[in-house]
Amino acid sequence: MASSTRTRMTATERSEEVLRAAVTAFAESGYAATKTDEIARLAGVSQPYVIRLFGTKQQLFLAVTHRVYDRVEEVFRAAAAEGIEPDSTGEEKLRALGKGYQTFLSEHELLRVLLQSFAAASDPAIGLDVRARFGGIYGVVQELTGASVQEMCSFLGTGMLLTVMAAMGVAGPDSVDVCWATDMLESLRAEGD
């Protein structure tokens, strides 16, 4: 009879597994409708273990949203490092960041968690955190590009439109072809050229 040895996960690995499960659950059901026992089931752990790791559902949701906002900032910084030359204009810098953001549009669960974070912002603690993190994205983009407030409004507005369209499945990889979305995407591309 062959014996099977099961490797035991470290607390860090288990915590990471719970975070991945929480991303999936919160992306699907949002903050209010997601239960910690569902996250525990997805992660293959007990519900009390989830609470022991993160404290409360709210703290777990904040950890998940931090992961998403960190990823957006990472995408922008990587795009800047790759696509911004020292003599680039502000417009060229914004365009480079926009191209980088295209990679984020394929990360469907993270996109949906980003949108869920806005929906959950009516909770005072979550709203405080979400506003601070969105402000952090604003700050990163401004730092990397030197964009004016008007340019920032246009850039972030376009990014939000693309985020919503990608979450609906009409922008980004594997998107459904819908005439109104195609028209909008073509218009955005023409603006970017």
Side-chain angles (χ1 to χ4, degrees):
M1 181 182 257
S3 68
S4 66
T5 37
R6 212 169 156 197
T7 57
R8 194 168 174 93
M9 281 193 213
T10 66
T12 303
E13 291 168 331
R14 186 64 78 186
S15 178
E16 180 60 32
E17 197 168 271
V18 170
L19 272 173
R20 280 194 303 269
V23 165
T24 298
F26 287 130
E28 181 67 29
S29 302
Y31 174 67
T34 299
K35 307 264 186 261
T36 54
D37 58 344
E38 173 64 13
I39 294 167
R41 187 188 63 71
L42 288 170
V45 299
S46 69
Q47 189 270 350
Y49 189 74
V50 171
I51 297 305
R52 188 162 31 122
L53 285 173
F54 292 95
T56 65
K57 179 174 93 166
Q58 183 184 74
Q59 289 168 318
L60 177 56
F61 184 73
L62 290 172
V64 166
T65 61
H66 281 259
R67 171 163 290 192
V68 174
Y69 286 92
D70 288 346
R71 178 67 179 132
V72 173
E73 289 181 15
E74 174 188 311
V75 164
F76 285 146
R77 289 190 186 284
E82 194 173 296
I84 295 179
E85 300 297 325
D87 60 342
S88 295
T89 66
E91 190 175 305
E92 291 168 333
K93 291 175 183 178
L94 285 169
R95 206 170 308 130
L97 265 56
K99 285 180 184 172
Y101 194 72
Q102 296 294 321
T103 64
F104 186 70
L105 295 180
S106 65
E107 300 175 28
H108 297 284
E109 284 186 330
L110 295 182
L111 280 173
R112 291 190 352 248
V113 169
L114 179 66
L115 295 173
Q116 296 287 4
S117 77
F118 302 140
S122 61
D123 176 294
I126 293 171
L128 183 67
D129 197 71
V130 167
R131 288 185 292 277
R133 291 309 305 260
F134 193 84
I137 290 172
Y138 181 95
V140 165
V141 172
Q142 198 165 49
E143 167 200 327
L144 295 171
T145 65
S148 69
V149 173
Q150 185 58 42
E151 290 169 323
M152 293 294 295
C153 288
S154 178
F155 179 78
L156 292 173
T158 299
M160 289 307 303
L161 174 62
L162 289 171
T163 298
V164 169
M165 290 175 71
M168 288 189 292
V170 296
D174 305 322
S175 61
V176 175
D177 189 21
V178 178
C179 63
W180 63 263
T182 303
D183 291 347
M184 291 178 78
L185 292 169
E186 285 175 8
S187 176
L188 290 171
R189 277 190 210 101
E191 278 180 32
D193 292 338

